[in-house]
Each structure stands twice: as C-alpha cells, then as structure tokens.
Amino acid sequence: MGGDFSLWVYLAKTPLLWLTVTLTAYVLADRIAAATGRHPIANPVLITVALVGGVLAVTGTPYPTYFEGAQFVHFLLGPATVVLAMPLYERRATVMRALVPMLTALAAGAITTLAVVIALARLLDIPQPILVSLAPKSVTSGVAMGIAEALGGDPTLTAILVILTGIIGAILVTPMMNALKIDDMRARGFAAGLAAHGIGTARAFQVSEVAGTFAGIAMGLNAFLTAILAPLALHLLF
C-alpha cells in the first residue's frame, strides 16, 4: 500500500500525468457514448468532466496542478477550431446558398443571447463582474475568456459557464430540433454552433457532416460578432 502511494506521489509530479488522465477519460467517455448509440445525454465532454473531477477529488489535487499538466489540451483548442474550416471549404457552395438566412439567424441569436443575459442579471441584481463573465457564455472558450478578461470579468468563471452552456446545448439540441420537427441539417447545425459553440459543434458532427459544417460556421461568426456586441452593450449599460 505504501509503495502504491509513493508511486502516485512520483507520478503526480510529472506534468504529463494529467494530460494522460484527461485523454484517457475522454477515450473512455467516447466509448460510453458510442455504446449508447450517441445518445444526447451521454455527452463525452460531460462524462469526461465527471471522471476527471472525480480523480481530482479523490487524490486531493488542486486545479493549478492539474492545469499545469493538461494545458496542452487547452492549447489545442485554437488549432482544432481552425481545422473546422476544412469542411466549410469543401461545402462552400452549400454555404453560399444559405448565406442570407445564416447571417439573419446569427444576428438574432447573438443579440437575443446578450439581451437575455443582461435582462436576467438586472432582474436578479447580479453584480457587474459576474455579468461580464456571463455575457460571452455562448462563445467558444478561448474567445469568451478573452472578452471577459478585457472587460474586467473573471476568465475562470467564464470558462466554467461556457462549458456548462456547451454541454447543456449539446444535450438539448437534438431532442429539441426533433420536437420542433426541424429536419434541415443546415439549420440544426447552425443552431447548435450558435448556442453551444465547440461542444455543440462536436455534437453536430456526430449527427451529420453538413450539420457540423454549419455549426462550425455559426461558432466562428458568433465569436466574432459577440466580441463586438458584448463590450458595446455593457458599455451602454454601465
């Protein structure tokens, strides 16, 4: 028993340990999701968060120690987002045919998201720093954290809210679209990417490549538009 503990102490000092734990947890989570037929509730990100969080709790590992080893995954968010341009290029003709509806949906979605967040914040008397952290919750994490930090919010809180938003959106998007009888994969994907950023986009690709392509477009455009609208809206209010 003492030898096992000593081994754990040694491994815990190795930065790659937490990268390995994260990747292993995701592989296991993805297999669980596949075993359920990719059921919306069996979201790989949600399962991974639960598994890694459980390991951190059991081992008493603080987040800074974990992030020191797992930050390579954070670094890969940028390249992974750029790679989404490949299916966009391959389906550029389809994209151009739906350009006007996409831009209309983009404006409506981005403005509505900010309006709802600000209205709830005012109604519940949420402090300004928390509101600033909450405003970009529907944008991919790298951009959202940058917006929050630039406006005086808490990037860590923003990251948590972004992940929660993405997981909830990825779980709800398929049953919601089915209930609304929306069969157009372009619309389904765009909605997923607009509301649930990268996690929603990953879910969209599991359903359809067309849906994933439009989700990636929505995620990128929403990040750009929110980076403009969020500071403007908050400046006018405070």
Side-chain angles (χ1 to χ4, degrees):
M1 184 69 176
D4 292 340
F5 181 74
S6 298
L7 177 61
W8 172 257
V9 171
Y10 170 76
L11 290 174
K13 294 180 179 179
T14 305
L16 288 179
L17 169 66
W18 295 111
L19 174 61
T20 303
V21 168
T22 303
L23 295 178
T24 302
Y26 184 81
V27 170
L28 179 59
D30 189 62
R31 290 185 178 181
I32 293 173
T36 65
R38 300 292 175 185
H39 192 280
I41 296 180
N43 185 275
V45 177
L46 175 60
I47 298 172
T48 302
V49 169
L51 291 174
V52 174
V55 173
L56 294 179
V58 169
T59 60
T61 303
Y63 177 76
T65 301
Y66 164 76
F67 187 74
E68 182 181 354
Q71 60 183 320
F72 184 66
V73 177
H74 180 76
F75 167 78
L76 288 176
L77 286 174
T81 302
V82 173
V83 168
L84 292 173
M86 294 178 63
L88 168 60
Y89 177 77
E90 293 172 354
R91 297 185 177 274
R92 57 191 180 279
T94 303
V95 171
M96 291 305 297
R97 286 196 296 269
L99 186 60
V100 173
M102 280 196 307
L103 293 179
T104 303
L106 170 67
I111 293 172
T112 300
T113 297
L114 283 173
V116 169
V117 168
I118 293 172
L120 286 175
R122 284 295 183 87
L123 180 65
L124 301 175
D125 198 24
I126 294 176
Q128 182 182 353
I130 297 180
L131 170 58
V132 172
S133 303
L134 183 61
K137 66 178 180 57
S138 293
V139 179
T140 188
S141 58
V143 176
M145 292 171 70
I147 294 173
E149 186 173 14
L151 297 177
D154 184 349
T156 302
L157 177 59
T158 297
I160 295 171
L161 294 169
V162 166
I163 292 172
L164 286 175
T165 299
I167 291 175
I168 293 171
I171 290 174
L172 294 180
V173 64
T174 297
M176 183 178 293
M177 291 295 172
N178 290 340
L180 294 174
K181 301 187 183 304
I182 298 177
D183 299 323
D184 191 328
M185 286 299 168
R186 298 173 300 174
R188 292 172 71 117
F190 198 85
L194 184 61
H197 49 83
I199 300 176
T201 299
R203 171 61 185 168
F205 269 112
Q206 291 176 351
V207 175
S208 161
E209 186 175 338
V210 172
T213 298
F214 278 80
I217 296 169
M219 180 181 69
L221 292 178
N222 190 35
F224 174 75
L225 186 58
T226 301
I228 297 173
L229 292 180
L232 180 60
L234 294 172
H235 176 73
L236 292 175
L237 288 171
F238 298 103

